[in-house]
Amino acid sequence: MWSMIREAGAGLRRNLSMVISIVLVTFISLTFVGAAILLQMQINQMKNYWYDKAQVAVYLCTGYEQAPLCPDGKVTDEQKTAIEATLKSEELAPLIKEYFFEDEATAYKNFKEQFSGSDVATYVEADQLGQTFWVSLVDPSKSEVIAQAFSDTAGVSSVKDQRTYLDQIFQVLNGASLAAIGVAVLMLLCAVLLISTTIRLSAFARRKELGIMRFVGASNLYIQTPFVLEGIASALFGSLLAGGALVLVVKYFVRDYLVTAMPYVSFIQISDALIVWPVIVGFGVLLAGFSSALAIRRYLRV
Amino acid sequence: MWSMIREAGAGLRRNLSMVISIVLVTFISLTFVGAAILLQMQINQMKNYWYDKAQVAVYLCTGYEQAPLCPDGKVTDEQKTAIEATLKSEELAPLIKEYFFEDEATAYKNFKEQFSGSDVATYVEADQLGQTFWVSLVDPSKSEVIAQAFSDTAGVSSVKDQRTYLDQIFQVLNGASLAAIGVAVLMLLCAVLLISTTIRLSAFARRKELGIMRFVGASNLYIQTPFVLEGIASALFGSLLAGGALVLVVKYFVRDYLVTAMPYVSFIQISDALIVWPVIVGFGVLLAGFSSALAIRRYLRV
Amino acid sequence: MISFSGVTKQYRGTTKPALDNVSLNVDKGEFVFLVGASGSGKSTLLRLALKEEKATVGEIFILGQDVGAISSRKVPFYRRKLGVVFQDFRLLPNKTTYQNVAFALQATGKSRGFIQEAVPDVLKLVGLTGKEARMPHELSGGEQQRVALARAVVNKPAVLLADEPTGNLDPMTSQGIMALLERINAGGTTILMATHDTMIVDRMNKRVVELSAGHIVRDDEHSTYGGI
Amino acid sequence: MISFSGVTKQYRGTTKPALDNVSLNVDKGEFVFLVGASGSGKSTLLRLALKEEKATVGEIFILGQDVGAISSRKVPFYRRKLGVVFQDFRLLPNKTTYQNVAFALQATGKSRGFIQEAVPDVLKLVGLTGKEARMPHELSGGEQQRVALARAVVNKPAVLLADEPTGNLDPMTSQGIMALLERINAGGTTILMATHDTMIVDRMNKRVVELSAGHIVRDDEHSTYGGI
Ligand SMILES: Nc1ncnc2c1ncn2[C@@H]1O[C@H](COP(=O)(O)OP(=O)(O)OP(=O)(O)O)[C@@H](O)[C@H]1O
Ligand SMILES: Nc1ncnc2c1ncn2[C@@H]1O[C@H](COP(=O)(O)OP(=O)(O)OP(=O)(O)O)[C@@H](O)[C@H]1O
Ligand SMILES: [Mg+2]
Ligand SMILES: [Mg+2]
């Protein structure tokens, strides 16, 4: 076993520039694989945090709306009672998990918090924000029903499903992770090609020794193991680097920068990156093992 | 010449998996180089568009401000005259290129345009936005002076330099282009290593022929050119792909998606990507030419 | 021990078979010379016995095993039962005498303890005691071939295949190698040796099988190179 | 034409010089045999003349040029003035007779028109007219050496260096190659030929320079291999 590791080490030194290339390519490819995984984790995190909390807002008229929305001005108490009755109606009640009423004061408090530091906060007054029924649905994807139910109701200015905002963000994040996967797939293809070329070069350099091994009856496993180890070792180094890079990105970019810049968004933790690290390393090692085993098997088949 | 191109083609076929790797690695690396260039172009575009237009806003009191800002309520005409006098004073006048006064109606119109489609637009009324002195400075980095001059002036709610918003965006974009350059540098290093390894493999496969060339007195140029062509050809293909990828990204992501999603930002054009294309291809070809020339020279030196 | 029946071998891309309907039986403990002009098929016959090549037609039984039927996974285990020596020694240039022999045992998975016992024994057998630490280039041709022989017999194979083992050696040195082979044969190992060397065949007075263009044209007990 | 004065060549990593203080003068139009045991330094002397290796000590003047002083950039231009033939022909296996000869001209930047004139001429000189389209493996050894000779002389070099050009050929075929070399020599080309072949040296009755362990031990006009 020890002699096999030594053989593998000698092989790596022989093809140094190839090995550096493999390390770099696996590093980049697995970093992108990891980035894609982390982006998906981020999406899930945001979904968990926001998606189920995402409610349908039934905005009531404030009196400040543009012409066609609220012809009767500010919502009256009768209108409010009617709206609440609709929410409790046979038609809608089974769809609704719960709803609550937000009055103007609470809305203003939330708004101030959300936009603190922005100019908008200084322009807006409590009575402009108006009152809202926040509706949580049993099946959050059925928001259309609520929108239709209140489309012509007096005193309702508009119905908004918060999920539509989130879906846009998720779309962008999904696009980014697809792009990362695209780069990763190309680079992984490249890594496989490089690993198999390196293994063949290594086998070619040792062809005399391999010939001797074969006629003294060395088993295929004994012959092939150093080559597979060689492939794995170079990929291992690249994948360790990739995992490290991801942890650093999460630490310095996500936790230190983004978390400060966007305090209201829930971001992935360093612990998430630490989970991804072994996944990536395992993936890189498996990939390298398979491609070098395949390459050496094809080379040694006579 | 023709025979040299044929030799180069034969060399490429011989090391197909290496050539594919080179194509992929140059493709990825130059795509990232190009992305970094395009990000810088985008930053410049935004700087050109916004940075010189960026003004210092002297917001006058609307009467809606929070407690400590405007103890006297809405700005009075006398206060306005005093403020304008300060702007024209000996102290400030030499620093100011020009200034203009924006009244409530204009501000409301601009605000509506900027936030059309957003909920905020429905909350805000004309008299809330208030009046503003927009000040263009001779040296836009000297906004501190204005801020100090009006720090205690009655009727002024706040002084804001628009550039502070922009600088944040630029910082993020710069960070992204640095990351792209980082990936690109690693991949370019990888490309150089792969090109020189491939050239050496190619020379090794043709060592007999090279020996014959040398004793019949073929010039070094004649011997080396096919190898350099070989290196260039594989990198050329990768860099053409990279240029194409950038044009597609600019067309479908920037022009079709971002321009619609952020109509108020000025984005780079497809023509910018078309300028970057030849730059990238030239860069890739030069890099490949140099690294293969170096590799073959070192290999042929006895 | 070794039995070829109706064996034909045609290399891909050639028109004439290298071996043509060859049948041959070698009993346990025999010493057989394989002679014939260059290209007559001697090496091909040995290569088939080693399962380095597959016979096109015919059956080969060695040590009771149907060589054609051995799966490629089992080939290494089969080869461990054979010893092989070549004209060009095939030693690893960067390993000492001791390591070259030990290497064959390591590669077949023998324990360290076994190796430490077996290698000095076999080096003593071939007369290389004291030269364990020499590299191949520090040995004469005859000594290198002794190392190769030591490697071939360290596993105590029942059959030894030798392809012109004296081809690169001068007559005096060849003599020494032949004496060694005779000793190994006397120990019970069946030996099949291809050679060009008239003198050796004539002196040894063993069974001689002559090939010509892939056919066996002569098979005599206690014969000489040219004799009938 | 060719002048070695006090030339010593010691290969790196060796203890004994391959050539030791060799001085030799060859005049224009001469035909000189270089003989000597294997390892005596014949090939080394030719390699120095070709500037494939650099002399450790001493000066070499060929065609009026100080070979040691030629910059590596100028070496190809120097080599174009020499013709070279080797024992193993060194033809490109995937090129026809015509292409093998034309290749040498292309590689030295000759025009297409010149190549189309010169190649058939030289092939006629070496007696290969009609075999222009054959690949090397479709030619006999003697014919392959003729192709190599054609390639060596197509540039009309003033000096032809030959390293055992008949080493791989049977006596009959060698005869033909020697006749050809004599014809080329008669055309004014100076020939320096290393050989082992006693018969050829004896028949030709030319100047013979004998090397032994890197020293010139004999230099006789109109001599034979063993003669004094
Ligand atoms: N791998 C191969 N592919 C094609 N033909 C081969 C191969 N090996 C041998 N041959 C051919 O098979 C024939 C027998 O070759 P073999 O090597 O068995 O002869 P040999 O008796 O060992 O000759 P020698 O005395 O020169 O070693 C020859 O014609 C040879 O050219
Ligand atoms: N590249 C080399 N490196 C080290 N030693 C060398 C090299 N080439 C030749 N020698 C040594 O130099 C000496 C002279 O070799 P050379 O090839 O000139 O002999 P030769 O007369 O041509 O022999 P032959 O008749 O076998 O061709 C020999 O001892 C040889 O081992
Ligand atoms: Mg043979
Ligand atoms: Mg020689």
Side-chain angles (χ1 to χ4, degrees), chain B residues 155-222:
Chain B
V156 172
S157 75
S158 62
V159 177
K160 278 260 161 80
D161 184 352
Q162 290 184 318
R163 291 176 33 143
T164 55
Y165 304 123
L166 293 173
D167 283 341
Q168 270 183 17
I169 297 172
F170 294 157
Q171 208 183 324
V172 170
L173 291 179
N174 261 324
S177 75
L178 276 181
I181 288 286
V183 173
V185 164
L186 287 181
M187 286 293 95
L188 285 174
L189 177 63
C190 190
V192 168
L193 290 174
L194 290 183
I195 288 171
S196 54
T197 306
T198 308
I199 295 306
R200 274 156 206 231
L201 288 180
S202 216
F204 181 78
R206 288 178 62 204
R207 64 196 179 284
K208 207 180 155 188
E209 205 173 330
L210 291 176
I212 294 175
M213 281 194 199
R214 275 202 274 171
F215 72 67
V216 302
S219 63
N220 290 335
L221 199 70
Y222 180 89

Coordinates of all heavy atoms in Angstrom, one line a residue, chain B residues 155-222:
Chain B
G155 N -35.1 75.9 7.6 CA -35.8 75.6 6.3 C -35.2 74.5 5.5 O -35.8 74.0 4.6
V156 N -33.9 74.1 5.9 CA -33.3 73.0 5.1 C -33.5 71.7 6.0 O -33.1 71.7 7.1 CB -31.8 73.3 4.9 CG1 -31.1 72.0 4.4 CG2 -31.6 74.5 4.0
S157 N -34.1 70.7 5.4 CA -34.3 69.5 6.1 C -33.1 68.6 6.1 O -32.7 68.0 7.1 CB -35.5 68.7 5.6 OG -35.3 68.1 4.4
S158 N -32.5 68.5 4.9 CA -31.3 67.7 4.8 C -30.5 68.0 3.5 O -31.1 68.5 2.6 CB -31.6 66.2 4.9 OG -32.4 65.8 3.8
V159 N -29.2 67.6 3.5 CA -28.4 67.7 2.3 C -27.8 66.3 2.0 O -27.3 65.7 2.8 CB -27.2 68.7 2.6 CG1 -26.3 68.8 1.3 CG2 -27.7 70.1 3.0
K160 N -28.1 65.9 0.7 CA -27.7 64.6 0.3 C -26.9 64.7 -1.0 O -27.3 65.3 -1.9 CB -28.9 63.7 0.0 CG -29.5 63.1 1.3 CD -29.1 61.7 1.5 CE -29.3 61.2 2.9 NZ -30.7 60.9 3.2
D161 N -25.7 63.9 -1.0 CA -24.9 63.8 -2.2 C -25.4 62.6 -2.9 O -25.2 61.5 -2.4 CB -23.4 63.8 -1.9 CG -22.6 63.7 -3.1 OD1 -23.1 63.6 -4.3 OD2 -21.3 63.8 -3.0
Q162 N -25.9 62.7 -4.1 CA -26.4 61.5 -4.9 C -25.3 60.5 -5.1 O -25.5 59.3 -5.3 CB -26.9 61.9 -6.2 CG -28.3 62.7 -6.1 CD -28.8 62.9 -7.5 OE1 -28.1 63.3 -8.4 NE2 -30.1 62.8 -7.6
R163 N -24.0 61.0 -5.1 CA -22.9 60.0 -5.4 C -22.7 58.9 -4.4 O -22.2 57.9 -4.7 CB -21.6 60.8 -5.6 CG -21.6 61.6 -6.8 CD -20.4 62.5 -7.0 NE -19.2 61.9 -6.5 CZ -18.0 62.0 -7.0 NH1 -17.9 62.7 -8.2 NH2 -16.9 61.5 -6.5
T164 N -23.2 59.2 -3.2 CA -23.0 58.1 -2.2 C -23.8 56.9 -2.5 O -23.4 55.8 -2.3 CB -23.4 58.6 -0.8 OG1 -24.7 59.1 -0.8 CG2 -22.5 59.7 -0.3
Y165 N -25.0 57.1 -3.1 CA -25.8 55.9 -3.6 C -25.0 55.1 -4.6 O -24.9 53.9 -4.6 CB -27.1 56.3 -4.2 CG -28.0 57.1 -3.2 CD1 -28.5 58.3 -3.6 CD2 -28.3 56.6 -2.0 CE1 -29.3 59.1 -2.8 CE2 -29.1 57.3 -1.1 CZ -29.6 58.6 -1.5 OH -30.4 59.3 -0.7
L166 N -24.5 55.9 -5.6 CA -23.8 55.3 -6.8 C -22.6 54.5 -6.3 O -22.3 53.4 -6.8 CB -23.4 56.4 -7.8 CG -24.6 57.1 -8.5 CD1 -24.1 58.2 -9.3 CD2 -25.4 56.1 -9.3
D167 N -21.8 55.1 -5.4 CA -20.6 54.5 -5.0 C -20.8 53.1 -4.4 O -20.1 52.2 -4.7 CB -19.9 55.3 -3.9 CG -19.2 56.5 -4.6 OD1 -18.9 56.4 -5.8 OD2 -18.8 57.5 -3.9
Q168 N -22.0 52.9 -3.8 CA -22.3 51.6 -3.3 C -22.5 50.6 -4.4 O -21.9 49.5 -4.4 CB -23.6 51.6 -2.4 CG -23.3 51.9 -1.0 CD -24.6 51.9 -0.2 OE1 -25.6 51.4 -0.6 NE2 -24.5 52.4 1.0
I169 N -23.2 51.0 -5.4 CA -23.4 50.1 -6.6 C -22.1 49.8 -7.2 O -21.8 48.6 -7.6 CB -24.4 50.8 -7.6 CG1 -25.7 51.0 -6.9 CG2 -24.5 50.0 -8.8 CD1 -26.7 51.8 -7.7
F170 N -21.3 50.8 -7.4 CA -20.0 50.6 -8.1 C -19.1 49.7 -7.3 O -18.4 48.8 -7.9 CB -19.3 51.9 -8.3 CG -20.0 52.9 -9.2 CD1 -19.8 54.2 -9.2 CD2 -20.9 52.4 -10.2 CE1 -20.5 55.1 -10.1 CE2 -21.6 53.2 -11.1 CZ -21.4 54.6 -11.0
Q171 N -19.2 49.7 -6.0 CA -18.4 48.9 -5.2 C -18.8 47.4 -5.4 O -17.9 46.5 -5.6 CB -18.7 49.2 -3.7 CG -17.6 48.9 -2.8 CD -18.0 49.3 -1.4 OE1 -18.7 50.2 -1.1 NE2 -17.5 48.5 -0.4
V172 N -20.1 47.1 -5.5 CA -20.6 45.8 -5.8 C -20.1 45.3 -7.1 O -19.6 44.2 -7.3 CB -22.1 45.7 -5.6 CG1 -22.6 44.3 -6.1 CG2 -22.5 45.9 -4.2
L173 N -20.3 46.2 -8.1 CA -19.9 45.8 -9.5 C -18.4 45.6 -9.6 O -17.9 44.6 -10.3 CB -20.3 46.9 -10.5 CG -21.8 47.0 -10.7 CD1 -22.1 48.1 -11.7 CD2 -22.4 45.7 -11.2
N174 N -17.6 46.4 -8.9 CA -16.2 46.3 -8.9 C -15.8 44.9 -8.3 O -14.9 44.2 -8.8 CB -15.5 47.4 -8.2 CG -15.0 48.5 -9.1 OD1 -14.5 48.1 -10.2 ND2 -15.0 49.7 -8.7
G175 N -16.5 44.6 -7.2 CA -16.2 43.3 -6.5 C -16.5 42.2 -7.5 O -15.7 41.3 -7.6
A176 N -17.6 42.3 -8.2 CA -17.9 41.2 -9.2 C -16.9 41.1 -10.2 O -16.5 40.0 -10.6 CB -19.3 41.5 -9.8
S177 N -16.4 42.2 -10.7 CA -15.4 42.1 -11.8 C -14.1 41.6 -11.3 O -13.4 40.9 -12.0 CB -15.3 43.4 -12.6 OG -14.6 44.4 -11.9
L178 N -13.8 41.9 -10.0 CA -12.5 41.4 -9.4 C -12.7 39.9 -9.3 O -11.7 39.1 -9.6 CB -12.3 42.0 -8.1 CG -11.6 43.3 -8.0 CD1 -11.3 43.8 -6.6 CD2 -10.2 43.2 -8.8
A179 N -13.8 39.4 -8.9 CA -14.0 37.9 -8.8 C -13.9 37.3 -10.1 O -13.2 36.2 -10.3 CB -15.4 37.6 -8.2
A180 N -14.5 37.9 -11.2 CA -14.3 37.4 -12.5 C -12.9 37.3 -13.0 O -12.4 36.3 -13.5 CB -15.1 38.2 -13.5
I181 N -12.1 38.4 -12.6 CA -10.7 38.4 -13.0 C -10.0 37.3 -12.3 O -9.1 36.6 -12.8 CB -10.1 39.8 -12.6 CG1 -10.6 40.8 -13.6 CG2 -8.6 39.7 -12.6 CD1 -10.0 40.8 -15.0
G182 N -10.3 37.1 -11.0 CA -9.7 36.0 -10.2 C -9.9 34.7 -10.9 O -8.9 33.9 -11.2
V183 N -11.1 34.3 -11.2 CA -11.4 33.1 -11.9 C -10.6 33.0 -13.2 O -10.0 32.0 -13.6 CB -12.9 32.9 -12.2 CG1 -13.2 31.7 -13.0 CG2 -13.6 32.8 -10.9
A184 N -10.7 34.1 -14.0 CA -10.0 34.2 -15.3 C -8.5 34.0 -15.2 O -7.9 33.2 -16.0 CB -10.3 35.5 -15.9
V185 N -7.9 34.6 -14.2 CA -6.4 34.4 -14.0 C -6.0 32.9 -13.8 O -5.1 32.4 -14.4 CB -5.9 35.3 -12.9 CG1 -4.5 34.9 -12.5 CG2 -5.9 36.8 -13.4
L186 N -6.8 32.3 -12.9 CA -6.5 30.9 -12.6 C -6.7 30.1 -13.9 O -5.9 29.2 -14.2 CB -7.5 30.4 -11.5 CG -7.2 30.9 -10.1 CD1 -8.1 30.2 -9.1 CD2 -5.7 30.5 -9.7
M187 N -7.8 30.3 -14.6 CA -8.1 29.5 -15.8 C -7.0 29.8 -16.9 O -6.7 29.0 -17.7 CB -9.5 29.8 -16.3 CG -10.5 29.1 -15.4 SD -10.5 27.3 -15.5 CE -9.5 26.9 -14.1
L188 N -6.6 31.1 -17.0 CA -5.6 31.4 -18.0 C -4.3 30.7 -17.7 O -3.6 30.2 -18.6 CB -5.4 32.9 -18.1 CG -6.5 33.7 -18.7 CD1 -6.2 35.2 -18.6 CD2 -6.6 33.3 -20.2
L189 N -3.9 30.7 -16.4 CA -2.7 29.9 -16.0 C -2.8 28.5 -16.4 O -1.9 27.9 -17.0 CB -2.6 30.0 -14.5 CG -1.4 29.3 -13.8 CD1 -0.1 29.8 -14.3 CD2 -1.5 29.3 -12.3
C190 N -4.0 28.0 -16.2 CA -4.3 26.6 -16.6 C -4.2 26.4 -18.1 O -3.6 25.5 -18.6 CB -5.7 26.3 -16.1 SG -6.2 24.6 -16.2
A191 N -4.7 27.4 -18.9 CA -4.7 27.3 -20.3 C -3.2 27.3 -20.8 O -2.8 26.5 -21.7 CB -5.4 28.5 -20.9
V192 N -2.4 28.2 -20.2 CA -1.0 28.2 -20.6 C -0.3 26.9 -20.3 O 0.4 26.3 -21.2 CB -0.3 29.3 -19.8 CG1 1.2 29.2 -20.0 CG2 -0.7 30.7 -20.3
L193 N -0.6 26.3 -19.2 CA 0.0 25.0 -18.8 C -0.4 23.9 -19.8 O 0.3 23.1 -20.3 CB -0.4 24.6 -17.4 CG 0.3 25.4 -16.3 CD1 -0.3 25.0 -14.9 CD2 1.8 25.2 -16.3
L194 N -1.7 23.9 -20.1 CA -2.3 22.9 -21.0 C -1.7 23.1 -22.4 O -1.4 22.1 -23.1 CB -3.8 23.0 -21.0 CG -4.5 22.6 -19.8 CD1 -6.0 22.6 -20.0 CD2 -4.1 21.2 -19.4
I195 N -1.6 24.3 -22.9 CA -1.1 24.5 -24.2 C 0.3 24.0 -24.3 O 0.7 23.3 -25.2 CB -1.2 26.0 -24.6 CG1 -2.7 26.4 -24.9 CG2 -0.4 26.3 -25.9 CD1 -3.0 27.8 -25.0
S196 N 1.1 24.4 -23.3 CA 2.5 24.0 -23.4 C 2.6 22.4 -23.3 O 3.4 21.8 -24.0 CB 3.4 24.7 -22.4 OG 2.9 24.6 -21.1
T197 N 1.8 21.8 -22.4 CA 1.9 20.4 -22.4 C 1.5 19.7 -23.7 O 2.2 18.8 -24.2 CB 0.9 19.8 -21.3 OG1 1.2 20.5 -20.1 CG2 1.1 18.3 -21.1
T198 N 0.4 20.2 -24.3 CA 0.0 19.7 -25.6 C 1.0 19.8 -26.6 O 1.3 18.9 -27.4 CB -1.3 20.4 -26.0 OG1 -2.2 20.4 -24.9 CG2 -1.9 19.7 -27.2
I199 N 1.7 21.0 -26.7 CA 2.7 21.2 -27.7 C 3.8 20.2 -27.5 O 4.4 19.7 -28.4 CB 3.2 22.7 -27.6 CG1 2.1 23.6 -27.9 CG2 4.4 22.9 -28.4 CD1 1.4 23.4 -29.2
R200 N 4.2 20.0 -26.2 CA 5.3 19.0 -26.0 C 4.9 17.6 -26.4 O 5.7 16.9 -26.9 CB 5.6 19.0 -24.5 CG 6.7 20.0 -24.2 CD 6.6 20.4 -22.7 NE 7.1 21.7 -22.6 CZ 8.0 22.0 -21.7 NH1 8.5 21.1 -20.9 NH2 8.4 23.3 -21.6
L201 N 3.6 17.2 -26.1 CA 3.1 15.9 -26.5 C 3.2 15.8 -28.0 O 3.6 14.8 -28.6 CB 1.7 15.7 -26.0 CG 1.5 15.5 -24.6 CD1 0.0 15.3 -24.3 CD2 2.2 14.3 -24.1
S202 N 2.8 16.9 -28.6 CA 2.8 16.9 -30.1 C 4.2 16.7 -30.6 O 4.4 16.0 -31.6 CB 2.2 18.2 -30.5 OG 1.4 18.1 -31.6
A203 N 5.1 17.5 -30.0 CA 6.5 17.4 -30.5 C 7.1 16.0 -30.2 O 7.8 15.5 -31.0 CB 7.3 18.4 -29.7
F204 N 6.6 15.4 -29.1 CA 7.1 14.1 -28.8 C 6.6 13.1 -29.8 O 7.4 12.2 -30.3 CB 6.7 13.6 -27.4 CG 7.2 12.3 -27.0 CD1 8.5 12.1 -26.5 CD2 6.3 11.2 -27.0 CE1 8.9 10.9 -26.2 CE2 6.8 9.9 -26.7 CZ 8.1 9.8 -26.3
A205 N 5.4 13.2 -30.2 CA 4.8 12.3 -31.2 C 5.5 12.5 -32.6 O 5.6 11.5 -33.3 CB 3.3 12.5 -31.4
R206 N 6.0 13.7 -32.8 CA 6.6 13.9 -34.1 C 8.1 14.0 -34.0 O 8.8 14.6 -34.8 CB 6.1 15.2 -34.7 CG 4.7 15.1 -35.2 CD 4.2 16.5 -35.7 NE 5.0 16.9 -36.8 CZ 5.1 18.2 -37.1 NH1 4.6 19.1 -36.5 NH2 5.9 18.5 -38.2
R207 N 8.7 13.4 -32.9 CA 10.2 13.6 -32.7 C 11.0 13.1 -33.9 O 12.1 13.7 -34.2 CB 10.6 13.0 -31.4 CG 10.4 11.5 -31.3 CD 10.5 11.0 -29.8 NE 10.3 9.6 -29.7 CZ 9.1 9.0 -29.8 NH1 8.0 9.7 -30.0 NH2 9.0 7.7 -29.6
K208 N 10.6 12.0 -34.5 CA 11.4 11.4 -35.6 C 11.4 12.4 -36.8 O 12.5 12.7 -37.3 CB 10.7 10.2 -36.1 CG 11.6 9.2 -36.7 CD 10.9 7.9 -37.2 CE 11.7 7.3 -38.3 NZ 11.0 6.2 -38.9
E209 N 10.3 12.9 -37.1 CA 10.2 13.9 -38.2 C 11.0 15.2 -37.8 O 11.7 15.7 -38.7 CB 8.7 14.3 -38.3 CG 8.3 14.8 -39.6 CD 6.7 14.9 -39.6 OE1 6.1 14.1 -38.9 OE2 6.2 15.8 -40.3
L210 N 10.9 15.6 -36.6 CA 11.6 16.8 -36.1 C 13.1 16.5 -36.3 O 13.9 17.4 -36.7 CB 11.3 17.1 -34.7 CG 9.9 17.7 -34.5 CD1 9.7 17.9 -33.0 CD2 9.7 18.9 -35.2
G211 N 13.6 15.3 -36.0 CA 15.0 15.0 -36.1 C 15.4 15.1 -37.6 O 16.5 15.7 -37.9
I212 N 14.6 14.6 -38.5 CA 14.9 14.6 -39.9 C 15.0 16.1 -40.3 O 15.9 16.5 -41.0 CB 13.9 13.8 -40.7 CG1 14.0 12.3 -40.4 CG2 14.1 14.1 -42.2 CD1 12.9 11.5 -41.0
M213 N 14.0 16.9 -39.9 CA 13.9 18.3 -40.3 C 15.2 19.0 -39.9 O 15.8 19.8 -40.6 CB 12.8 19.0 -39.6 CG 11.5 18.8 -40.2 SD 10.3 20.0 -39.6 CE 8.8 19.2 -40.0
R214 N 15.7 18.6 -38.7 CA 16.9 19.3 -38.2 C 18.1 18.9 -39.0 O 18.9 19.8 -39.3 CB 17.1 19.0 -36.7 CG 16.2 20.1 -36.0 CD 16.7 20.3 -34.6 NE 16.1 19.2 -33.8 CZ 16.4 19.0 -32.6 NH1 17.3 19.8 -32.0 NH2 15.8 18.1 -31.9
F215 N 18.3 17.7 -39.4 CA 19.5 17.4 -40.1 C 19.5 17.7 -41.5 O 20.5 17.8 -42.2 CB 20.1 16.0 -39.8 CG 19.4 14.8 -40.4 CD1 19.3 14.6 -41.7 CD2 18.7 13.9 -39.6 CE1 18.7 13.5 -42.3 CE2 18.1 12.8 -40.1 CZ 18.0 12.7 -41.5
V216 N 18.3 17.9 -42.1 CA 18.2 18.5 -43.5 C 18.4 20.0 -43.5 O 18.4 20.6 -44.5 CB 17.0 18.1 -44.3 CG1 16.9 16.6 -44.4 CG2 15.7 18.7 -43.8
G217 N 18.4 20.6 -42.3 CA 18.6 22.0 -42.2 C 17.4 22.9 -42.3 O 17.4 24.0 -42.7
A218 N 16.2 22.4 -41.8 CA 15.1 23.2 -41.8 C 15.3 24.3 -40.8 O 15.9 24.1 -39.7 CB 13.8 22.4 -41.4
S219 N 14.8 25.5 -41.1 CA 15.0 26.6 -40.1 C 14.1 26.4 -38.9 O 13.1 25.7 -38.9 CB 14.7 27.9 -40.8 OG 13.3 27.9 -41.1
N220 N 14.6 27.1 -37.8 CA 13.8 26.9 -36.6 C 12.4 27.4 -36.8 O 11.4 26.8 -36.3 CB 14.4 27.8 -35.5 CG 15.7 27.2 -35.0 OD1 15.9 26.0 -35.2 ND2 16.6 28.0 -34.5
L221 N 12.2 28.5 -37.6 CA 10.9 29.0 -37.9 C 10.0 27.9 -38.5 O 8.8 27.7 -38.1 CB 11.0 30.2 -38.8 CG 9.7 31.1 -38.8 CD1 9.6 31.8 -37.5 CD2 9.8 32.1 -39.9
Y222 N 10.6 27.2 -39.5 CA 9.8 26.2 -40.2 C 9.4 25.1 -39.3 O 8.3 24.5 -39.3 CB 10.7 25.7 -41.4 CG 10.0 24.6 -42.2 CD1 9.2 24.9 -43.3 CD2 10.1 23.2 -41.9 CE1 8.6 24.0 -44.0 CE2 9.5 22.3 -42.6 CZ 8.7 22.6 -43.7 OH 8.1 21.7 -44.4

